[in-house]
Amino acid sequence: EADIYQTPRYLVIGTGKKITLECSQTMGHDKMYWYQQDPGMELHLIHYSYGVNSTEKGDLSSESTVSRIRTEHFPLTLESARPSHTSQYLCASSLDSTEAFFGQGTRLTVV
Amino acid sequence: GQQLNQSPQSMFIQEGEDVSMNCTSSSIFNTWLWYKQDPGEGPVLLIALYKAGELTSNGRLTAQFGITRKDSFLNISASIPSDVGIYFCAGPGYAGNNRKLIWGLGTSLAVNP
Protein backbone atom coordinates (compact mmCIF):
# COMPACT_ATOMS: atom_id res chain seq x y z
CA GLU A 1 0.00 0.00 0.00
CA ALA A 2 1.43 3.36 -1.04
CA ASP A 3 1.92 5.91 1.72
CA ILE A 4 1.55 9.24 0.01
CA TYR A 5 -0.94 11.79 1.19
CA GLN A 6 -2.38 14.92 -0.31
CA THR A 7 -4.39 17.61 1.42
CA PRO A 8 -6.88 19.01 0.94
CA ARG A 9 -8.88 16.58 -1.23
CA TYR A 10 -11.15 19.35 -2.44
CA LEU A 11 -10.61 23.12 -2.43
CA VAL A 12 -12.87 25.90 -3.68
CA ILE A 13 -11.23 29.29 -3.50
CA GLY A 14 -11.70 32.79 -4.82
CA THR A 15 -9.64 34.41 -7.56
CA GLY A 16 -6.47 36.09 -6.33
CA LYS A 17 -6.02 33.95 -3.22
CA LYS A 18 -2.73 32.28 -2.39
CA ILE A 19 -2.98 28.52 -1.92
CA THR A 20 -0.65 25.69 -0.97
CA LEU A 21 -1.39 22.08 -1.83
CA GLU A 22 0.31 19.66 0.53
CA CYS A 23 1.95 16.36 -0.39
CA SER A 24 3.77 14.04 1.99
CA GLN A 25 5.18 10.54 1.60
CA THR A 26 6.51 8.16 4.22
CA MET A 27 8.37 5.80 1.87
CA GLY A 28 11.67 7.69 1.88
CA HIS A 29 11.50 8.21 -1.88
CA ASP A 30 13.93 10.76 -3.30
CA LYS A 31 11.89 11.47 -6.41
CA MET A 32 8.59 13.36 -6.22
CA TYR A 33 6.32 14.76 -8.89
CA TRP A 34 3.33 17.04 -9.40
CA TYR A 35 0.92 16.35 -12.25
CA GLN A 36 -2.02 18.41 -13.46
CA GLN A 37 -4.99 16.59 -14.95
CA ASP A 38 -8.33 17.79 -16.28
CA PRO A 39 -11.22 15.30 -15.83
CA GLY A 40 -10.79 12.22 -18.01
CA MET A 41 -7.73 13.65 -19.70
CA GLU A 42 -4.00 12.93 -19.83
CA LEU A 43 -1.50 13.54 -17.06
CA HIS A 44 0.70 16.62 -17.44
CA LEU A 45 3.93 16.80 -15.44
CA ILE A 46 4.30 20.32 -14.03
CA HIS A 47 7.09 19.92 -11.44
CA TYR A 48 9.50 17.27 -10.21
CA SER A 49 12.22 16.86 -7.66
CA TYR A 50 15.05 14.36 -7.46
CA GLY A 51 15.88 15.15 -3.86
CA VAL A 52 16.11 17.80 -1.17
CA ASN A 53 16.74 21.29 -2.58
CA SER A 54 16.26 19.98 -6.13
CA THR A 55 13.25 21.11 -8.16
CA GLU A 56 12.64 21.26 -11.89
CA LYS A 57 9.82 22.43 -14.11
CA GLY A 58 7.95 19.75 -16.01
CA ASP A 59 6.56 19.48 -19.51
CA LEU A 60 3.56 21.74 -18.98
CA SER A 61 4.22 25.34 -18.09
CA SER A 62 2.64 26.22 -14.77
CA GLU A 63 2.40 29.39 -12.72
CA SER A 64 2.74 27.30 -9.58
CA THR A 65 5.96 26.89 -7.61
CA VAL A 66 7.27 24.04 -5.47
CA SER A 67 9.82 23.51 -2.74
CA ARG A 68 11.63 20.46 -1.36
CA ILE A 69 13.14 21.25 2.00
CA ARG A 70 12.52 17.78 3.45
CA THR A 71 12.57 14.43 1.66
CA GLU A 72 9.02 13.58 2.68
CA HIS A 73 7.36 16.89 1.85
CA PHE A 74 6.74 18.49 -1.58
CA PRO A 75 4.22 21.34 -1.39
CA LEU A 76 2.88 23.22 -4.41
CA THR A 77 1.98 26.91 -4.15
CA LEU A 78 -0.09 29.21 -6.31
CA GLU A 79 0.56 32.85 -5.36
CA SER A 80 -2.60 34.18 -7.00
CA ALA A 81 -5.22 31.63 -8.03
CA ARG A 82 -7.18 32.14 -11.26
CA PRO A 83 -10.11 30.23 -12.79
CA SER A 84 -7.70 28.78 -15.38
CA HIS A 85 -5.97 26.95 -12.50
CA THR A 86 -9.10 24.88 -11.89
CA SER A 87 -7.99 21.26 -12.29
CA GLN A 88 -6.98 18.14 -10.41
CA TYR A 89 -3.45 18.14 -9.00
CA LEU A 90 -1.79 14.77 -8.39
CA CYS A 91 1.35 14.21 -6.36
CA ALA A 92 3.51 11.12 -6.84
CA SER A 93 6.78 9.69 -5.58
CA SER A 94 9.15 6.98 -6.73
CA LEU A 95 12.28 5.23 -5.53
CA ASP A 96 13.84 5.46 -8.97
CA SER A 97 12.36 6.86 -12.17
CA THR A 98 10.11 3.87 -12.82
CA GLU A 99 7.22 2.85 -10.58
CA ALA A 100 5.48 5.94 -9.26
CA PHE A 101 2.98 5.94 -6.41
CA PHE A 102 0.24 8.54 -6.41
CA GLY A 103 -1.74 10.37 -3.78
CA GLN A 104 -5.51 10.70 -4.07
CA GLY A 105 -5.24 14.14 -5.63
CA THR A 106 -6.53 17.61 -4.86
CA ARG A 107 -9.42 18.88 -6.91
CA LEU A 108 -9.04 22.66 -7.09
CA THR A 109 -11.82 24.98 -8.19
CA VAL A 110 -11.11 28.70 -8.49
CA VAL A 111 -14.21 30.87 -8.66
CA GLY B 1 10.79 13.37 -27.62
CA GLN B 2 9.64 9.93 -26.61
CA GLN B 3 5.91 9.28 -26.89
CA LEU B 4 3.54 6.49 -26.03
CA ASN B 5 0.54 5.92 -28.30
CA GLN B 6 -2.30 4.26 -26.45
CA SER B 7 -5.38 2.74 -28.09
CA PRO B 8 -8.24 2.62 -28.15
CA GLN B 9 -8.97 6.03 -26.69
CA SER B 10 -12.22 4.77 -25.16
CA MET B 11 -14.23 1.57 -24.90
CA PHE B 12 -17.83 0.83 -23.96
CA ILE B 13 -18.48 -2.84 -23.27
CA GLN B 14 -20.98 -5.17 -21.69
CA GLU B 15 -20.26 -6.77 -18.34
CA GLY B 16 -18.60 -10.14 -18.81
CA GLU B 17 -16.79 -9.21 -22.02
CA ASP B 18 -13.03 -9.36 -22.37
CA VAL B 19 -11.10 -6.14 -22.99
CA SER B 20 -7.84 -5.55 -24.80
CA MET B 21 -5.84 -2.33 -25.06
CA ASN B 22 -2.33 -1.55 -26.18
CA CYS B 23 0.47 0.94 -26.03
CA THR B 24 3.08 1.49 -28.73
CA SER B 25 6.14 3.63 -29.21
CA SER B 26 8.73 4.36 -31.86
CA SER B 27 11.35 4.15 -29.08
CA ILE B 28 12.49 1.16 -27.08
CA PHE B 29 11.34 0.98 -23.48
CA ASN B 30 13.00 -1.22 -20.85
CA THR B 31 10.05 -1.14 -18.49
CA TRP B 32 6.31 -0.97 -19.11
CA LEU B 33 3.85 0.05 -16.43
CA TRP B 34 0.06 -0.18 -16.47
CA TYR B 35 -2.00 2.02 -14.15
CA LYS B 36 -5.72 2.35 -13.48
CA GLN B 37 -7.34 5.57 -12.36
CA ASP B 38 -10.77 5.46 -10.74
CA PRO B 39 -12.89 8.61 -11.12
CA GLY B 40 -11.70 11.31 -8.74
CA GLU B 41 -8.71 9.31 -7.51
CA GLY B 42 -5.00 9.05 -8.28
CA PRO B 43 -3.66 6.34 -10.63
CA VAL B 44 -2.83 2.99 -9.05
CA LEU B 45 -0.14 0.68 -10.42
CA LEU B 46 -1.65 -2.58 -11.74
CA ILE B 47 1.23 -4.38 -13.40
CA ALA B 48 4.92 -3.68 -14.02
CA LEU B 49 6.85 -5.44 -16.81
CA TYR B 50 10.64 -5.52 -16.89
CA LYS B 51 11.66 -8.02 -19.56
CA ALA B 52 10.90 -8.30 -23.29
CA GLY B 53 8.37 -11.08 -23.89
CA GLU B 54 7.29 -11.12 -20.24
CA LEU B 55 3.66 -12.04 -19.58
CA THR B 56 2.35 -11.12 -16.13
CA SER B 57 -1.07 -11.58 -14.56
CA ASN B 58 -2.80 -9.84 -11.67
CA GLY B 59 -6.16 -11.51 -11.10
CA ARG B 60 -8.27 -10.96 -14.23
CA LEU B 61 -5.62 -8.67 -15.70
CA THR B 62 -2.83 -9.86 -17.97
CA ALA B 63 -0.15 -7.65 -19.48
CA GLN B 64 2.61 -8.45 -21.94
CA PHE B 65 5.91 -6.73 -22.72
CA GLY B 66 6.28 -6.84 -26.50
CA ILE B 67 9.27 -8.70 -27.90
CA THR B 68 10.42 -5.63 -29.85
CA ARG B 69 10.32 -3.59 -26.59
CA LYS B 70 8.25 -1.01 -28.46
CA ASP B 71 4.81 -2.14 -27.35
CA SER B 72 2.77 -3.59 -24.51
CA PHE B 73 -0.73 -5.02 -24.16
CA LEU B 74 -3.20 -5.15 -21.29
CA ASN B 75 -6.09 -7.59 -21.28
CA ILE B 76 -8.97 -7.73 -18.81
CA SER B 77 -11.03 -10.89 -18.76
CA ALA B 78 -14.71 -11.14 -17.77
CA SER B 79 -15.13 -7.41 -17.11
CA ILE B 80 -17.16 -6.22 -14.12
CA PRO B 81 -18.59 -2.76 -13.34
CA SER B 82 -15.71 -1.86 -11.00
CA ASP B 83 -13.30 -2.11 -13.98
CA VAL B 84 -14.61 1.30 -15.04
CA GLY B 85 -11.88 3.92 -15.14
CA ILE B 86 -8.99 5.20 -17.19
CA TYR B 87 -6.09 2.86 -17.93
CA PHE B 88 -2.69 4.43 -18.55
CA CYS B 89 0.50 2.90 -19.83
CA ALA B 90 3.83 4.43 -18.84
CA GLY B 91 7.51 3.80 -19.25
CA PRO B 92 10.76 5.41 -18.11
CA GLY B 93 12.27 7.69 -20.70
CA TYR B 94 14.33 10.81 -21.07
CA ALA B 95 13.45 14.44 -21.45
CA GLY B 96 16.75 16.12 -22.20
CA ASN B 97 19.18 14.76 -19.63
CA ASN B 98 16.50 13.96 -17.09
CA ARG B 99 15.04 10.50 -16.69
CA LYS B 100 11.32 10.43 -15.98
CA LEU B 101 8.12 8.55 -16.71
CA ILE B 102 6.53 8.94 -20.15
CA TRP B 103 2.74 8.51 -20.14
CA GLY B 104 0.19 7.38 -22.68
CA LEU B 105 -3.00 9.43 -23.08
CA GLY B 106 -5.14 6.74 -21.47
CA THR B 107 -7.92 4.36 -22.45
CA SER B 108 -11.28 5.18 -20.87
CA LEU B 109 -13.30 2.06 -20.10
CA ALA B 110 -17.04 2.02 -19.46
CA VAL B 111 -18.81 -1.22 -18.49
CA ASN B 112 -22.54 -1.65 -18.94
CA PRO B 113 -23.96 -3.94 -16.22
Side-chain angles (χ1 to χ4, degrees):
Chain A
E1 182 109 359
D3 295 314
I4 179 164
Y5 308 99
Q6 289 186 243
T7 57
R9 284 293 313 274
Y10 304 93
L11 180 61
V12 181
I13 201 161
T15 298
K17 298 290 187 184
K18 177 180 178 179
I19 59 169
T20 296
L21 307 184
E22 301 289 347
C23 178
S24 294
Q25 52 99 2
T26 59
M27 296 173 281
H29 289 168
D30 283 329
K31 296 176 175 58
M32 296 190 74
Y33 314 86
W34 276 102
Y35 290 86
Q36 184 176 340
Q37 183 188 34
D38 291 328
M41 302 298 286
E42 64 194 283
L43 296 162
H44 292 288
L45 182 67
I46 53 174
H47 297 283
Y48 60 98
S49 167
Y50 284 170
V52 171
N53 294 325
S54 153
T55 61
E56 301 284 346
K57 290 191 177 295
D59 307 319
L60 182 68
S61 175
S62 174
E63 293 166 346
S64 59
T65 59
V66 293
S67 63
R68 189 91 183 273
I69 298 172
R70 304 196 317 262
T71 298
E72 61 271 21
H73 195 214
F74 191 40
L76 180 145
T77 298
L78 274 167
E79 291 292 333
S80 179
R82 296 208 304 265
S84 61
H85 297 138
T86 294
S87 190
Q88 172 151 287
Y89 293 84
L90 292 160
C91 180
S93 73
S94 67
L95 184 61
D96 51 28
S97 298
T98 56
E99 300 174 22
F101 297 92
F102 284 83
Q104 291 183 294
T106 294
R107 175 154 316 274
L108 173 66
T109 302
V110 184
V111 297
Chain B
Q2 290 173 294
Q3 286 184 316
L4 290 178
N5 302 305
Q6 198 169 342
S7 65
Q9 186 176 357
S10 61
M11 302 180 76
F12 186 85
I13 61 169
Q14 293 294 123
E15 182 177 359
E17 289 183 2
D18 296 342
V19 173
S20 184
M21 61 189 79
N22 69 80
C23 201
T24 62
S25 175
S26 58
S27 306
I28 287 173
F29 280 79
N30 293 317
T31 299
W32 287 92
L33 306 171
W34 284 96
Y35 285 81
K36 182 196 177 197
Q37 184 177 27
D38 290 330
E41 301 288 331
V44 174
L45 181 64
L46 298 173
I47 293 178
L49 302 162
Y50 300 104
K51 190 175 174 183
E54 179 182 354
L55 186 72
T56 297
S57 293
N58 178 4
R60 293 178 296 104
L61 277 60
T62 301
Q64 183 161 25
F65 191 142
I67 198 73
T68 65
R69 294 196 285 161
K70 293 183 178 181
D71 58 10
S72 178
F73 302 87
L74 176 69
N75 296 316
I76 305 173
S77 62
S79 59
I80 59 178
S82 63
D83 290 333
V84 165
I86 303 177
Y87 292 79
F88 290 99
C89 62
Y94 285 91
N97 294 324
N98 291 317
R99 183 173 156 90
K100 61 174 187 174
L101 271 181
I102 310 296
W103 292 85
L105 299 185
T107 293
S108 178
L109 178 64
V111 179
N112 190 30

PDB file of all heavy atoms in Angstrom, chain B residues 61-76:
ATOM      1  N   LEU B  61      -6.439  -9.489 -14.817  1.00  0.00           N
ATOM      2  CA  LEU B  61      -5.624  -8.666 -15.705  1.00  0.00           C
ATOM      3  C   LEU B  61      -4.384  -9.429 -16.149  1.00  0.00           C
ATOM      4  O   LEU B  61      -3.743 -10.111 -15.342  1.00  0.00           O
ATOM      5  CB  LEU B  61      -5.180  -7.393 -14.991  1.00  0.00           C
ATOM      6  CG  LEU B  61      -6.137  -6.207 -14.934  1.00  0.00           C
ATOM      7  CD1 LEU B  61      -7.432  -6.546 -14.233  1.00  0.00           C
ATOM      8  CD2 LEU B  61      -5.477  -5.022 -14.279  1.00  0.00           C
ATOM      9  N   THR B  62      -4.060  -9.288 -17.426  1.00  0.00           N
ATOM     10  CA  THR B  62      -2.833  -9.864 -17.966  1.00  0.00           C
ATOM     11  C   THR B  62      -2.166  -8.820 -18.841  1.00  0.00           C
ATOM     12  O   THR B  62      -2.832  -8.188 -19.670  1.00  0.00           O
ATOM     13  CB  THR B  62      -3.127 -11.118 -18.811  1.00  0.00           C
ATOM     14  OG1 THR B  62      -3.796 -12.086 -18.002  1.00  0.00           O
ATOM     15  CG2 THR B  62      -1.831 -11.722 -19.340  1.00  0.00           C
ATOM     16  N   ALA B  63      -0.880  -8.617 -18.663  1.00  0.00           N
ATOM     17  CA  ALA B  63      -0.148  -7.651 -19.479  1.00  0.00           C
ATOM     18  C   ALA B  63       1.066  -8.326 -20.084  1.00  0.00           C
ATOM     19  O   ALA B  63       1.647  -9.247 -19.488  1.00  0.00           O
ATOM     20  CB  ALA B  63       0.279  -6.454 -18.643  1.00  0.00           C
ATOM     21  N   GLN B  64       1.442  -7.880 -21.268  1.00  0.00           N
ATOM     22  CA  GLN B  64       2.610  -8.451 -21.945  1.00  0.00           C
ATOM     23  C   GLN B  64       3.554  -7.343 -22.401  1.00  0.00           C
ATOM     24  O   GLN B  64       3.126  -6.284 -22.870  1.00  0.00           O
ATOM     25  CB  GLN B  64       2.195  -9.293 -23.150  1.00  0.00           C
ATOM     26  CG  GLN B  64       3.379  -9.966 -23.839  1.00  0.00           C
ATOM     27  CD  GLN B  64       2.999 -11.130 -24.700  1.00  0.00           C
ATOM     28  OE1 GLN B  64       1.868 -11.212 -25.181  1.00  0.00           O
ATOM     29  NE2 GLN B  64       3.927 -12.037 -24.921  1.00  0.00           N
ATOM     30  N   PHE B  65       4.831  -7.608 -22.256  1.00  0.00           N
ATOM     31  CA  PHE B  65       5.909  -6.734 -22.715  1.00  0.00           C
ATOM     32  C   PHE B  65       6.273  -7.231 -24.104  1.00  0.00           C
ATOM     33  O   PHE B  65       6.755  -8.347 -24.272  1.00  0.00           O
ATOM     34  CB  PHE B  65       7.079  -6.899 -21.747  1.00  0.00           C
ATOM     35  CG  PHE B  65       8.184  -5.906 -21.877  1.00  0.00           C
ATOM     36  CD1 PHE B  65       8.815  -5.430 -20.746  1.00  0.00           C
ATOM     37  CD2 PHE B  65       8.647  -5.456 -23.107  1.00  0.00           C
ATOM     38  CE1 PHE B  65       9.865  -4.524 -20.821  1.00  0.00           C
ATOM     39  CE2 PHE B  65       9.685  -4.553 -23.203  1.00  0.00           C
ATOM     40  CZ  PHE B  65      10.306  -4.095 -22.047  1.00  0.00           C
ATOM     41  N   GLY B  66       6.040  -6.407 -25.131  1.00  0.00           N
ATOM     42  CA  GLY B  66       6.283  -6.838 -26.496  1.00  0.00           C
ATOM     43  C   GLY B  66       7.737  -7.214 -26.753  1.00  0.00           C
ATOM     44  O   GLY B  66       8.655  -6.616 -26.170  1.00  0.00           O
ATOM     45  N   ILE B  67       7.934  -8.164 -27.633  1.00  0.00           N
ATOM     46  CA  ILE B  67       9.271  -8.704 -27.899  1.00  0.00           C
ATOM     47  C   ILE B  67      10.188  -7.667 -28.530  1.00  0.00           C
ATOM     48  O   ILE B  67      11.410  -7.695 -28.355  1.00  0.00           O
ATOM     49  CB  ILE B  67       9.172  -9.975 -28.771  1.00  0.00           C
ATOM     50  CG1 ILE B  67      10.456 -10.774 -28.685  1.00  0.00           C
ATOM     51  CG2 ILE B  67       8.786  -9.640 -30.181  1.00  0.00           C
ATOM     52  CD1 ILE B  67      10.634 -11.482 -27.378  1.00  0.00           C
ATOM     53  N   THR B  68       9.610  -6.688 -29.239  1.00  0.00           N
ATOM     54  CA  THR B  68      10.422  -5.633 -29.848  1.00  0.00           C
ATOM     55  C   THR B  68      10.785  -4.536 -28.845  1.00  0.00           C
ATOM     56  O   THR B  68      11.569  -3.640 -29.145  1.00  0.00           O
ATOM     57  CB  THR B  68       9.674  -4.971 -31.015  1.00  0.00           C
ATOM     58  OG1 THR B  68       8.517  -4.299 -30.503  1.00  0.00           O
ATOM     59  CG2 THR B  68       9.262  -5.996 -32.057  1.00  0.00           C
ATOM     60  N   ARG B  69      10.187  -4.599 -27.663  1.00  0.00           N
ATOM     61  CA  ARG B  69      10.316  -3.592 -26.592  1.00  0.00           C
ATOM     62  C   ARG B  69       9.699  -2.248 -26.979  1.00  0.00           C
ATOM     63  O   ARG B  69       9.921  -1.244 -26.289  1.00  0.00           O
ATOM     64  CB  ARG B  69      11.784  -3.405 -26.179  1.00  0.00           C
ATOM     65  CG  ARG B  69      12.353  -4.654 -25.527  1.00  0.00           C
ATOM     66  CD  ARG B  69      13.638  -4.365 -24.792  1.00  0.00           C
ATOM     67  NE  ARG B  69      14.765  -4.168 -25.676  1.00  0.00           N
ATOM     68  CZ  ARG B  69      15.894  -3.564 -25.339  1.00  0.00           C
ATOM     69  NH1 ARG B  69      16.037  -3.059 -24.144  1.00  0.00           N
ATOM     70  NH2 ARG B  69      16.876  -3.447 -26.199  1.00  0.00           N
ATOM     71  N   LYS B  70       8.893  -2.242 -28.051  1.00  0.00           N
ATOM     72  CA  LYS B  70       8.246  -1.012 -28.465  1.00  0.00           C
ATOM     73  C   LYS B  70       6.732  -1.043 -28.240  1.00  0.00           C
ATOM     74  O   LYS B  70       6.023  -0.133 -28.668  1.00  0.00           O
ATOM     75  CB  LYS B  70       8.531  -0.740 -29.945  1.00  0.00           C
ATOM     76  CG  LYS B  70       9.994  -0.420 -30.217  1.00  0.00           C
ATOM     77  CD  LYS B  70      10.209  -0.077 -31.685  1.00  0.00           C
ATOM     78  CE  LYS B  70      11.661   0.287 -31.950  1.00  0.00           C
ATOM     79  NZ  LYS B  70      11.864   0.651 -33.375  1.00  0.00           N
ATOM     80  N   ASP B  71       6.239  -2.094 -27.607  1.00  0.00           N
ATOM     81  CA  ASP B  71       4.812  -2.137 -27.347  1.00  0.00           C
ATOM     82  C   ASP B  71       4.488  -3.005 -26.130  1.00  0.00           C
ATOM     83  O   ASP B  71       5.306  -3.802 -25.666  1.00  0.00           O
ATOM     84  CB  ASP B  71       4.018  -2.598 -28.568  1.00  0.00           C
ATOM     85  CG  ASP B  71       4.444  -3.967 -29.070  1.00  0.00           C
ATOM     86  OD1 ASP B  71       5.218  -4.663 -28.368  1.00  0.00           O
ATOM     87  OD2 ASP B  71       3.998  -4.358 -30.158  1.00  0.00           O
ATOM     88  N   SER B  72       3.262  -2.804 -25.636  1.00  0.00           N
ATOM     89  CA  SER B  72       2.774  -3.593 -24.511  1.00  0.00           C
ATOM     90  C   SER B  72       1.258  -3.689 -24.628  1.00  0.00           C
ATOM     91  O   SER B  72       0.604  -2.810 -25.206  1.00  0.00           O
ATOM     92  CB  SER B  72       3.173  -2.939 -23.187  1.00  0.00           C
ATOM     93  OG  SER B  72       2.666  -3.672 -22.092  1.00  0.00           O
ATOM     94  N   PHE B  73       0.708  -4.776 -24.079  1.00  0.00           N
ATOM     95  CA  PHE B  73      -0.725  -5.025 -24.157  1.00  0.00           C
ATOM     96  C   PHE B  73      -1.270  -5.296 -22.760  1.00  0.00           C
ATOM     97  O   PHE B  73      -0.594  -5.898 -21.932  1.00  0.00           O
ATOM     98  CB  PHE B  73      -1.008  -6.248 -25.049  1.00  0.00           C
ATOM     99  CG  PHE B  73      -0.468  -6.102 -26.435  1.00  0.00           C
ATOM    100  CD1 PHE B  73       0.843  -6.474 -26.715  1.00  0.00           C
ATOM    101  CD2 PHE B  73      -1.253  -5.602 -27.448  1.00  0.00           C
ATOM    102  CE1 PHE B  73       1.365  -6.332 -28.003  1.00  0.00           C
ATOM    103  CE2 PHE B  73      -0.741  -5.470 -28.730  1.00  0.00           C
ATOM    104  CZ  PHE B  73       0.566  -5.824 -29.000  1.00  0.00           C
ATOM    105  N   LEU B  74      -2.498  -4.849 -22.542  1.00  0.00           N
ATOM    106  CA  LEU B  74      -3.196  -5.154 -21.290  1.00  0.00           C
ATOM    107  C   LEU B  74      -4.537  -5.769 -21.649  1.00  0.00           C
ATOM    108  O   LEU B  74      -5.296  -5.202 -22.451  1.00  0.00           O
ATOM    109  CB  LEU B  74      -3.424  -3.888 -20.456  1.00  0.00           C
ATOM    110  CG  LEU B  74      -4.231  -4.092 -19.165  1.00  0.00           C
ATOM    111  CD1 LEU B  74      -3.417  -4.898 -18.148  1.00  0.00           C
ATOM    112  CD2 LEU B  74      -4.635  -2.743 -18.556  1.00  0.00           C
ATOM    113  N   ASN B  75      -4.814  -6.922 -21.069  1.00  0.00           N
ATOM    114  CA  ASN B  75      -6.091  -7.587 -21.276  1.00  0.00           C
ATOM    115  C   ASN B  75      -6.813  -7.723 -19.951  1.00  0.00           C
ATOM    116  O   ASN B  75      -6.200  -8.018 -18.921  1.00  0.00           O
ATOM    117  CB  ASN B  75      -5.890  -8.973 -21.895  1.00  0.00           C
ATOM    118  CG  ASN B  75      -5.284  -8.897 -23.279  1.00  0.00           C
ATOM    119  OD1 ASN B  75      -5.685  -8.078 -24.103  1.00  0.00           O
ATOM    120  ND2 ASN B  75      -4.309  -9.729 -23.542  1.00  0.00           N
ATOM    121  N   ILE B  76      -8.121  -7.527 -19.982  1.00  0.00           N
ATOM    122  CA  ILE B  76      -8.973  -7.729 -18.813  1.00  0.00           C
ATOM    123  C   ILE B  76      -9.997  -8.776 -19.201  1.00  0.00           C
ATOM    124  O   ILE B  76     -10.713  -8.626 -20.201  1.00  0.00           O
ATOM    125  CB  ILE B  76      -9.699  -6.429 -18.397  1.00  0.00           C
ATOM    126  CG1 ILE B  76      -8.702  -5.293 -18.177  1.00  0.00           C
ATOM    127  CG2 ILE B  76     -10.532  -6.667 -17.130  1.00  0.00           C
ATOM    128  CD1 ILE B  76      -9.357  -3.945 -17.939  1.00  0.00           C
TER     129      ILE B  76
END
